[in-house]
C-alpha cells in the first residue's frame, strides 16, 4: 500500500515483478547424434513481468494487472532447427473487481485479456514465420464467493 493515511486513496496499492531467465547450456541431441545449442529453456520466456494496481475501500476491491511474457521456445525439432516452434511475446491486461455484500457473500466480476492479445506460434530459421495464432480473445466472468 501507498502511504496515504486517509481519504479515497487510502486503499491504493501496487505490486510489480520482473523475471529474467538466462540459460547458457541448453542443448538438444539431434537425429544424427550431434548436439545443438537452444535459444533458451523449453516453455520458459527469458523475460516475464507484471505490474498491478490494487484498491480496497470498505466492501469494494479492485485489481488492474498488466502481464508481459516474452517469446518462448515451445517445441524443439531434432531433425532441423527451423522446425522448432516458439510462441510470440504477449501483453495482457486483466481486471477484477469485487463487492462484499455481507460478511459471507462477495460478488466478483473479471475481465481477462482486455488487450485482446493473440500471440502467434512461430517457426523458421529465425522463428520469424507465423504458423498460426492462439485466438483466446477477451473473456468475462461474473460470480460470487460464499463463506459458510
Amino acid at each position: 500500500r501507498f502511504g496515504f493515511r486517509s481519504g479515497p486513496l487510502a486503499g491504493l496499492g501496487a505490486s510489480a515483478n520482473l523475471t529474467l531467465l538466462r540459460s547458457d547450456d541448453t542443448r538438444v541431441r539431434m537425429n544424427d547424434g550431434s548436439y545443438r545449442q537452444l535459444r533458451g529453456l523449453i516453455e520458459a520466456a527469458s523475460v516475464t513481468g507484471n505490474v498491478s494496481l490494487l484498491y480496497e475501500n470498505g466492501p469494494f476491491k479492485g485489481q488492474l494487472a498488466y502481464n508481459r511474457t516474452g517469446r518462448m521456445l515451445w517445441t524443439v525439432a531434432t531433425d532441423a532447427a527451423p522446425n522448432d516452434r516458439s510462441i510470440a511475446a504477449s501483453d495482457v491486461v486483466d481486471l477484477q473487481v469485487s463487492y462484499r455484500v455481507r460478511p459471507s457473500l462477495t460478488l466478483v466480476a473479471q475481465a481477462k485479456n482486455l488487450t485482446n492479445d493473440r500471440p502467434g506460434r512461430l517457426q523458421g530459421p529465425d522463428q520469424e514465420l507465423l504458423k498460426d495464432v492462439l485466438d483466446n480473445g477477451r473473456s468475462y466472468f461474473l460470480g460470487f464467493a460464499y463463506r459458510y
Side-chain angles (χ1 to χ4, degrees), residues 1 5 7 15 20 24 29 32 50-52 58 61 70 72 81 87 90 98 107 110 116-118 123 143 145 148:
R1 288 189 176 192
R5 300 272 183 225
S15 70
L20 304 174
D24 291 333
R29 185 174 182 183
D32 65 4
N50 70 44
V51 177
S52 295
K61 288 184 183 179
M72 71 177 111
I87 294 183
S90 67
S98 65
L107 299 176
Q110 293 180 333
N116 203 26
D117 188 72
R118 293 178 158 107
Q123 67 182 57
Y148 54 92

Side-chain angles (χ1 to χ4, degrees), residues 105-121:
L105 180 64
T106 302
L107 299 176
V108 180
Q110 293 180 333
K112 301 274 189 180
N113 193 13
L114 289 172
T115 50
N116 203 26
D117 188 72
R118 293 178 158 107
R121 287 188 233 196

Side-chain angles (χ1 to χ4, degrees), residues 69-84:
T69 303
R71 185 168 77 178
M72 71 177 111
L73 183 61
W74 193 250
T75 60
V76 175
T78 56
D79 59 349
N83 292 331
D84 289 352

Side-chain angles (χ1 to χ4, degrees), residues 21-122:
L21 181 62
R22 184 174 148 191
S23 173
D24 291 333
D25 193 30
T26 307
R27 300 181 309 154
V28 64
R29 185 174 182 183
M30 303 298 285
N31 291 343
D32 65 4
S34 65
Y35 289 86
R36 73 173 167 96
Q37 186 74 32
L38 297 178
R39 293 184 180 103
L41 296 175
I42 298 172
E43 297 184 23
S46 60
V47 177
T48 304
N50 70 44
V51 177
S52 295
L53 288 176
L54 313 155
Y55 184 73
E56 183 174 351
N57 187 357
F60 175 79
K61 288 184 183 179
Q63 178 178 355
L64 179 67
Y66 165 74
N67 302 289
R68 166 75 175 178
T69 303
R71 185 168 77 178
M72 71 177 111
L73 183 61
W74 193 250
T75 60
V76 175
T78 56
D79 59 349
N83 292 331
D84 289 352
R85 292 193 183 146
S86 297
I87 294 183
S90 67
D91 297 286
V92 176
V93 174
D94 297 329
L95 174 67
Q96 177 175 312
V97 294
S98 65
Y99 184 79
R100 190 177 63 248
V101 178
R102 54 181 189 242
S104 60
L105 180 64
T106 302
L107 299 176
V108 180
Q110 293 180 333
K112 301 274 189 180
N113 193 13
L114 289 172
T115 50
N116 203 26
D117 188 72
R118 293 178 158 107
R121 287 188 233 196
L122 309 169

